[in-house]
Amino acid sequence: MKTASPFLEIGADAGPCVDVTFEGAPLRLTEGANLAAALLAAGVEVFRHTKTTGAPRAAFCMMGACFDCLVEIDGVVRQACMVEASQGLRINRPHEAEAHDDPA
Amino acid sequence: MIRRDLVIIGAGPAGMAAAVRAADLRLSVSILDEQLRAGGQIYRDVDRAAALRGDILGKDYAHGATLTAGLRRDAIDHLPGAVVWAIEEGFRISYSQDGQGAQIAASHVLLATGALERPMPLPGWTLPGVMTAGAGQILLKQSGVLARNAALVGSGPLLYLIAAQMIRAGTPPAAMVETQGRGDIISAMRHLGGALRGWPYLLKGMMMLAEITRARVPRFTGAQGVAIEGDTKAEAVTFTSAGRSRRIVCDTVFLHHGVVPNTQAARSLGVGHSWSRAQKCFVPAVDEWGQSDIPGVFIAGDGAGIGGAKAAEHAGGLAALKIAEELGRLDPSGCMEQATPLRAALTRERAPRAFLDTAYPPCAEALAPGDSTIVCRCEEITAGDIRRYASLGCLGPNQAKAFGRAGMGPCQGRFCGLTVSALLADANGRTPDETGHFRIRPPLKPVTLGELAAMDAVAQDEAT
């Protein structure tokens, strides 16, 4: 997944990593990294689908203003660009619980 | 509830400079900031990133560390990760921090909430892979994340800065698709005097352009008919330039055609705003000290009208002086004396602004998008929808909410407000001032019931 990313993370090897999941898929992210940036660097292209038309969206403003980077973290919908990566985060596309087989 | 002489919202250059100046004058100060580390967007995460990537980001960025250093003193209560969602008269400020709601009281409030990217609705701008140029810079500053194959689209000096930084980092952009034309530069020449007074900026601009030319990044100016192609993500930018149709294949598109004041907090307090013809946006009514038309509410920095980071720093200082004078901690002559050098510096900083605004005007197509282009990203309302509302008698953006849902999504109009007002004004043959803007009400940012419940528990503890 990492090699397919349109983004390059410089100095990515520095610092400890954390394990998270996105839509059930395991990802290793730099601990404390901005979550939206880390997801982009890890090759996540679609953060969510809109409620109105189902159109794909991803991070847009990176400063907490546009709300396009909304993801569901451990059941709470949050702006990925306002969250830091930490161990064990279970990240999903919001409002798609019925669309995938999350046992929770 | 904690009570301060001054509560500052936003820890960018204006907020940080104001906090330091106010603390010097023995005011009790809290500075609330959404971000976890001080700096604002311009100096985002400077304390960590300057050491790691200072060579790419440049000296102007590293300057931010002198401001963040000023916050590290006991007299300044810096609350990072504090998302303000209501400011009530009196003043009582409600915010969330670490999942807990909290309140703080203040006799004076300084809004230092900075700027937002001017919304740039073009066909395909909602696709994954399309971001603001500011977002591109934030990715690089805070996270060291670079787009491998990006097109930079729009106009303005920020595009040159981000291109130069990408070149230094070894990932030059695929192309620069610039919407300003030859006529804009010619119009700007009448402001050349100001540009020359602000010669350091002119020089920096020329050096960045030289860097871009040396790296052989293709530049297309006067671009028209700009659209982003892609099915589930951005795949290419198409446009015409110099009479030829072009298609630039890319994975990422960074959009920019200037920044505009973030007026959400000021509007929620009822501060008056009016249309600036020069900056093509609404600006709050403030005097030369940043004092708004509501006693005790000050606004400094880009939130009061775009002037840039250094201007924001000086404006923050001026606001702190006037607030200290109003609180009786500084006599009027002392206030004037300390203000004089700040005012002179502010005038210098503002000198090149008219030249820049004229040479790099907003992209005309994004100010009046085609009918099928989405303008409200949250609710997926198109420009055609807004024009249709106007044809049915809709005069203003608040009335438009009764026709559709533009401005009612989670971003609360931050990325469609100016476009909706402009489209309605144009369709109805009225001015932007007559048309007005979305009414902004708290909560300014979403707040969870859990955060509210936690706040209630604290309030009850205090009451008993």
Side-chain angles (χ1 to χ4, degrees):
Chain A
M1 207 164 186
K2 195 136 193 156
T3 49
S5 174
F7 292 92
L8 169 77
E9 192 177 359
I10 51 175
D13 303 332
C17 286
V18 291
D19 294 301
V20 307
T21 60
F22 184 85
E23 289 286 294
L27 293 176
R28 294 216 90 187
L29 308 178
T30 306
E31 183 172 23
N34 181 293
L35 185 61
L39 290 176
L40 290 174
V44 172
E45 285 178 332
V46 177
F47 281 42
R48 68 182 181 99
H49 293 98
T50 61
K51 274 200 249 185
T52 317
T53 67
R57 292 291 170 87
F60 177 70
C61 82
M62 289 300 296
M63 52 184 278
C66 77
F67 292 78
D68 261 328
C69 68
L70 290 176
V71 291
E72 194 179 297
I73 302 171
D74 297 328
V76 181
V77 177
R78 301 176 68 181
Q79 294 168 286
C81 77
M82 302 292 280
V83 175
E84 291 192 342
S86 58
Q87 178 63 34
L89 295 181
R90 289 188 318 141
I91 310 156
N92 285 298
R93 298 192 175 115
H95 314 300
E96 292 182 22
E98 61 276 23
H100 57 78
D101 298 318
D102 191 333
Chain B
M1 199 187 314
I2 292 171
R3 186 170 185 90
R4 304 281 185 214
D5 295 325
L6 172 61
V7 166
I8 300 169
I9 322 262
M16 293 191 289
V20 168
R21 179 76 64 157
D24 284 345
L25 296 165
R26 300 183 183 284
L27 271 64
S28 58
V29 187
S30 285
I31 179 164
L32 279 62
D33 189 40
E34 284 184 343
Q35 295 295 328
L36 293 168
R37 279 169 291 273
Q41 303 308 329
I42 192 83
Y43 304 125
R44 177 101 168 220
D45 229 346
V46 64
D47 291 332
R48 292 200 303 185
L52 295 173
R53 293 179 278 281
D55 50 338
I56 295 170
L57 296 167
K59 267 198 312 214
D60 287 344
Y61 174 72
H63 166 75
T66 62
L67 292 167
T68 55
L71 294 189
R72 288 191 285 273
R73 56 200 265 191
D74 291 342
I76 298 173
D77 174 35
H78 173 211
L79 296 166
V83 179
V84 171
W85 44 265
I87 309 167
E88 292 160 272
E89 294 272 352
F91 295 95
R92 186 168 59 171
I93 295 122
S94 303
Y95 62 97
S96 299
Q97 189 185 28
D98 292 332
Q100 301 248 324
Q103 291 187 318
I104 187 166
S107 75
H108 282 67
V109 175
L110 174 64
L111 306 176
T113 51
L116 295 169
E117 288 271 351
R118 181 190 292 280
M120 198 163 170
L122 293 172
W125 77 309
T126 53
L127 285 168
V130 183
M131 304 179 81
T132 67
Q137 261 219 316
I138 290 165
L139 285 174
L140 172 58
K141 287 173 185 169
Q142 182 178 31
S143 311
V145 167
L146 285 146
R148 294 176 201 267
N149 185 30
L152 272 48
V153 177
S155 75
L158 179 70
L159 283 186
Y160 302 140
L161 175 62
I162 187 170
Q165 290 172 336
M166 290 173 77
I167 291 162
R168 286 173 219 155
T171 55
M176 318 249 335
V177 181
E178 301 179 38
T179 55
Q180 83 285 352
R182 186 175 281 278
D184 297 319
I185 280 284
I186 294 167
S187 308
M189 283 304 160
R190 68 194 145 95
H191 302 296
L192 190 62
L196 293 174
R197 278 199 302 285
W199 63 268
Y201 286 103
L202 209 59
L203 185 65
K204 275 180 209 161
M206 286 161 71
M207 285 167 65
M208 288 190 292
L209 278 171
E211 230 174 320
I212 293 163
T213 306
R214 268 201 309 278
R216 299 175 191 278
V217 175
R219 283 184 64 200
F220 303 94
T221 55
Q224 292 185 320
V226 184
I228 299 139
E229 287 183 357
D231 191 13
T232 57
K233 57 177 183 156
E235 289 164 15
V237 179
T238 58
F239 57 96
T240 61
S241 170
R244 284 188 58 183
S245 295
R246 303 273 184 178
R247 184 171 189 274
I248 307 287
V249 175
C250 56
D251 297 318
T252 309
V253 178
F254 289 134
L255 299 176
H256 175 77
H257 64 153
V259 296
V260 295
N262 177 1
T263 59
Q264 301 292 114
R267 284 186 183 279
S268 79
L269 275 159
V271 170
H273 287 70
S274 62
W275 184 257
S276 160
R277 286 170 62 100
Q279 298 203 333
K280 295 189 175 60
C281 58
F282 288 104
V283 294
V286 293
D287 69 9
E288 55 179 5
W289 300 97
Q291 171 135 46
S292 76
D293 53 4
I294 295 185
V297 176
F298 284 67
I299 309 171
D302 277 354
I306 303 305
K310 293 302 287 275
E313 205 178 314
H314 305 314
L318 285 170
L321 289 175
K322 192 66 182 177
I323 292 165
E325 191 204 283
E326 286 189 359
L327 289 167
R329 312 293 169 79
L330 188 62
D331 59 54
S333 67
C335 182
M336 289 308 285
E337 194 183 318
Q338 289 194 45
T340 303
L342 291 179
R343 260 191 223 303
L346 194 53
T347 304
R348 268 199 309 279
E349 287 299 323
R350 285 176 178 162
R353 193 47 55 182
F355 176 84
L356 291 175
D357 288 343
T358 317
Y360 298 102
C363 167
E365 293 167 3
L367 294 182
D371 278 349
S372 60
T373 302
I374 287 175
V375 296
C376 168
R377 299 174 61 92
C378 297
E379 300 294 331
E380 301 180 90
I381 307 289
T382 65
D385 291 331
I386 304 292
R387 292 190 178 105
R388 189 165 45 82
Y389 306 160
S391 75
L392 294 171
C394 176
L395 291 175
N398 296 302
Q399 200 183 356
K401 293 177 180 175
F403 286 84
R405 285 191 47 88
M408 295 174 75
C411 99
Q412 295 173 302
R414 286 172 175 85
F415 279 93
C416 71
L418 283 173
T419 315
V420 170
S421 291
L423 288 170
L424 289 174
D426 186 54
N428 290 315
R430 294 175 13 131
T431 66
D433 281 322
E434 286 165 346
T435 304
H437 191 271
F438 289 128
R439 197 170 295 117
I440 305 300
R441 294 190 185 88
L444 296 168
K445 286 278 171 93
V447 52
T448 65
L449 276 176
E451 287 163 351
L452 279 177
M455 183 165 84
D456 202 40
V458 172
Q460 283 181 6
D461 285 350
E462 281 176 5
T464 51

